[in-house]
Amino acid sequence: GVQAWHASANAHRVTAVWMVINYVTDLPVTSITSPISGSVLKGNVNVVAIAGSVDGISKVDFLVDGSVKSSDTNTPYEYSWNTNLESNASHTLSTKAYSSSGKTADSNNVSVTVDNAGPSVAFTNPINGSTVSTDTVNVTASVSDQSAISKVDFYVDGGFITSVTSTPYGFNWLTPTTNGTHQLTAVATDS
């Protein structure tokens, strides 16, 4: 058979894919090279595939959860997937290659998670509207997200206080000496 090779690289990984095209069956082959299984995605994502056949490729379909979303007739085979139109959940990406002679082949599935919602953060101490009467208050927040949390930034009355990169997310707030109402803000950033 004929061997086709494709390499792609970014700051985090290098992917090399070999495809062997079978002369006996004349079936095309296809594979998704990006994103990789297990990726957490948001916004517009470039889905990239490779395909080959001994008699050429006429088109490659891009499927999300089994439904065709786009087709590409030219290499590089790409689809700009707007994940904002999908649910924040796991999804399966795949491709279907069509040879010039009309034969087809499906790629392996690539499982990814769409997370356009971003992290959620809530104060666990002090609670909204509470009165504090000590010089130091242990401020804490709970954070959740489908991907890892990289940091939580804390502000008092709009002024930055600290950034916390691991649980428990919180800090000891040295309260002002004068009485009054103050606003605490926590901003969570995911990976």
Side-chain angles (χ1 to χ4, degrees):
V2 173
Q3 295 183 344
W5 182 80
H6 170 81
S8 65
N10 66 26
H12 301 289
R13 69 180 186 284
V14 173
T15 304
V17 178
W18 282 94
M19 297 189 321
V20 177
I21 302 167
N22 191 334
Y23 278 120
V24 177
T25 63
D26 194 28
L27 291 176
V29 292
T30 183
S31 177
I32 294 176
T33 59
S34 180
I36 61 172
S37 279
S39 297
V40 178
L41 310 171
K42 66 185 252 163
N44 288 321
V45 174
N46 196 32
V47 181
V48 181
I50 55 174
S53 174
V54 293
D55 63 345
I57 296 293
S58 61
K59 76 173 180 174
V60 173
D61 286 341
F62 289 86
L63 296 86
V64 176
D65 298 328
S67 297
V68 176
K69 297 290 186 171
S70 180
S71 296
D72 195 350
T73 57
N74 298 306
T75 60
Y77 301 109
E78 297 176 308
Y79 162 51
S80 181
W81 181 31
N82 182 356
T83 66
N84 292 305
L85 303 176
E86 306 293 340
S87 62
N88 290 318
S90 294
H91 294 279
T92 302
L93 303 177
S94 61
T95 56
K96 183 174 199 130
Y98 296 79
S99 71
S100 296
S101 63
K103 295 180 180 174
T104 63
D106 298 321
S107 72
N108 289 335
N109 291 334
V110 172
S111 297
V112 297
T113 300
V114 170
D115 182 16
N116 285 306
S120 63
V121 60
F123 281 102
T124 53
N125 190 60
I127 61 171
N128 190 32
S130 63
T131 300
V132 294
S133 59
T134 59
D135 292 339
T136 303
V137 174
N138 184 17
V139 176
T140 57
S142 65
V143 182
S144 64
D145 193 49
Q146 289 189 19
S147 59
I149 299 298
S150 62
K151 67 176 180 172
V152 177
D153 293 331
F154 289 95
Y155 300 82
V156 175
D157 297 329
F160 176 77
I161 299 297
T162 189
S163 186
V164 181
T165 58
S166 61
T167 59
Y169 298 109
F171 70 100
N172 288 323
W173 175 34
L174 183 59
T175 58
T177 56
T178 58
N179 292 336
T181 302
H182 299 278
Q183 182 181 28
L184 299 174
T185 305
V187 178
T189 304
D190 64 19
S191 58

